[in-house]
Amino acid sequence: MNNELYKRKHELWLKILFASFAIDDEAIKSRLYDFSQIAFRHMKWLGEAILENGGDYNYERDMMLYKRQSVFEVLEPLKEDILKTQELYGKSVLFERIKSDESYLLQYLDELLADEKNDQAVEAFSMKNRWDKLDAPSLMSLTMFLFEESYKEYELILVYAYMQARTDSLKEYNVFQDLVDESHFHLKSFGNMMAKLGILALPRELHELTYKITDLKKFIKDGIAEEEAAKEMCRELASSINDERLSSFFTFIDNQENYHIELMKRLLDE
C-alpha cells in the first residue's frame, strides 16, 4: 500500500460524490451519495493501514471534473475509474471489503446503464447561473458563497480526517468525527446547489501545509476564527437574499456553526 493508491481512492471518492451532485434524478443522486460515503470510509481505513505499516499519505490529486451533458456520460467513465483503481489492490481483508463494496456499486451502475430512460440531460455544468426568482445581487452573493464554502468544507473534511488518524485521544477522535460528519453534510448541500445553478466545480487542491499541523492549539484557534467568519457570511446571505427558503437554510447553517465552535473549544480544553 502506498500513496499512489491512496491518491486514486481520494479521487474515486470525489468522482462518486460529484456524480451524485451532477445528476438530477433524486433516487440516483441519493444512492450515489451513499456510495460516496462508503468510498470515504475506504479512504479512512486505507489511511489507517498505511500508517500502521509505517508509511504515510497525502492529499495530492490529478483528477479533473469534466463537463458532462448526460447521465450516461457521467456514469460510464465512473465505472472505468473504479475498474482501473481495483487493479492496484492487493490481497487482504481490507481489500476484499473494498472490492465487495465496489462490485455492488458496479452492479448498480450496470443496471442504470442498461435502461436508456436513465440517460437524462445533466445541467450541472451548463453555466446557466439561475435560481428560480433570485435577483442579480442575491445570485452573485450565493455564487461567491458556494465557491468559498464548498472549498472550506472539503478542506475541513480532509484536515480533520488527517488529524483524527493521528490522535491517541478518544475525546479528540470523537470531536474530529463530529466535525467531519457535519462538513460532509454542508459539502453535500453546497455541491447540490452549485449543480442546480449549473456551476458545479471541484474545490481546489489542498497544500500539504493545510493539513500537516505542527501547532494544534493555533490550528484550533484559527479554525474558530474561520467558523466565525463563515457564520458572518451565512448571516449576511440569509438577510440579503430574496428567497425565504434559502434564507431559512442559511440561518440553519449559521446555527450549526455555533456548535462547531463549541466542539473546537472542547479541543482547546483537551
Side-chain angles (χ1 to χ4, degrees):
M1 289 184 286
N2 53 39
N3 191 63
E4 178 60 28
L5 175 56
Y6 189 87
K7 180 173 74 172
R8 293 281 286 273
K9 292 296 293 179
H10 176 192
E11 293 172 350
L12 189 55
W13 163 58
L14 287 172
K15 287 170 182 175
I16 301 170
L17 180 65
F18 276 76
S20 81
F21 297 158
I23 293 172
D24 288 335
D25 184 285
E26 287 297 332
I28 300 174
K29 177 188 288 291
S30 176
R31 196 80 179 276
L32 287 177
Y33 184 77
D34 288 344
F35 279 118
S36 80
Q37 291 292 283
I38 294 172
F40 187 80
R41 287 198 292 279
H42 292 171
M43 278 177 62
K44 179 175 181 285
W45 296 334
L46 182 61
E48 290 170 352
I50 290 172
L51 294 177
E52 287 170 3
N53 284 283
D56 203 355
Y57 60 88
N58 58 46
Y59 290 134
E60 291 178 359
R61 64 173 210 238
D62 297 325
M63 68 174 288
M64 296 180 65
L65 191 64
Y66 294 103
K67 294 185 177 182
R68 309 295 186 183
Q69 306 300 318
S70 74
V71 170
F72 282 11
E73 287 184 17
V74 173
L75 298 184
E76 286 166 350
L78 177 59
K79 178 181 174 181
E80 293 174 10
D81 287 329
I82 295 168
L83 292 170
K84 287 179 183 176
T85 303
Q86 288 184 334
E87 295 173 1
L88 299 178
Y89 297 164
K91 293 186 179 298
S92 70
V93 174
L94 172 59
F95 285 128
E96 286 302 314
R97 163 61 195 266
I98 292 174
K99 283 189 282 188
S100 175
D101 290 344
E102 291 177 349
S103 293
Y104 190 61
L105 172 54
L106 288 168
Q107 179 183 328
Y108 176 63
L109 295 179
D110 283 338
E111 290 172 1
L112 294 175
L113 291 167
D115 188 346
E116 289 292 334
K117 292 195 296 292
N118 293 320
D119 196 20
Q120 302 298 314
V122 165
E123 301 289 341
F125 309 104
S126 66
M127 302 299 290
K128 62 182 180 181
N129 208 23
R130 294 192 302 275
W131 185 292
D132 300 332
K133 297 179 181 179
L134 280 191
D135 58 22
S138 294
L139 188 61
M140 181 173 291
S141 296
L142 177 62
T143 300
M144 292 176 60
F145 177 90
L146 291 174
F147 274 106
E148 285 299 317
E149 291 302 295
S150 62
Y151 170 75
K152 190 201 88 169
E153 300 300 346
Y154 168 67
E155 174 193 64
L156 291 178
I157 289 168
L158 295 186
V159 171
Y160 291 136
Y162 192 89
M163 296 170 70
Q164 184 185 47
R166 289 160 175 78
T167 183
D168 294 323
S169 164
L170 179 60
K171 183 175 181 180
E172 285 185 5
Y173 185 95
N174 286 335
V175 169
F176 290 143
Q177 186 62 56
D178 286 337
L179 291 167
V180 167
D181 291 343
E182 293 277 276
S183 287
H184 273 299
F185 170 70
H186 289 184
L187 180 57
K188 174 186 177 182
S189 301
F190 301 153
N192 283 325
M193 286 182 176
M194 293 176 81
K196 183 174 178 177
L197 285 166
I199 56 171
L200 186 61
L202 277 177
R204 61 188 180 274
E205 187 177 345
L206 270 63
H207 191 283
E208 66 175 14
L209 293 179
T210 306
Y211 53 89
K212 291 189 174 180
I213 307 301
T214 56
D215 186 338
L216 181 57
K217 191 171 184 178
K218 181 179 184 301
F219 167 78
I220 295 169
K221 287 182 176 179
D222 289 345
I224 290 172
E226 190 173 359
E227 294 287 357
E228 291 285 4
K231 278 176 55 60
E232 182 60 30
M233 288 181 69
C234 283
R235 283 195 296 267
E236 289 178 1
L237 201 54
S239 63
S240 66
I241 206 163
N242 65 322
D243 183 307
E244 187 174 336
R245 290 183 64 187
L246 272 180
S247 179
S248 178
F249 172 76
F250 286 114
T251 299
F252 159 69
I253 295 294
D254 173 25
N255 290 330
Q256 288 196 333
E257 302 286 11
N258 287 335
Y259 196 65
H260 296 176
I261 292 170
E262 180 61 29
L263 288 171
M264 298 179 82
K265 286 179 178 177
R266 291 181 192 176
L267 290 179
L268 278 181
D269 294 338
E270 178 78 1

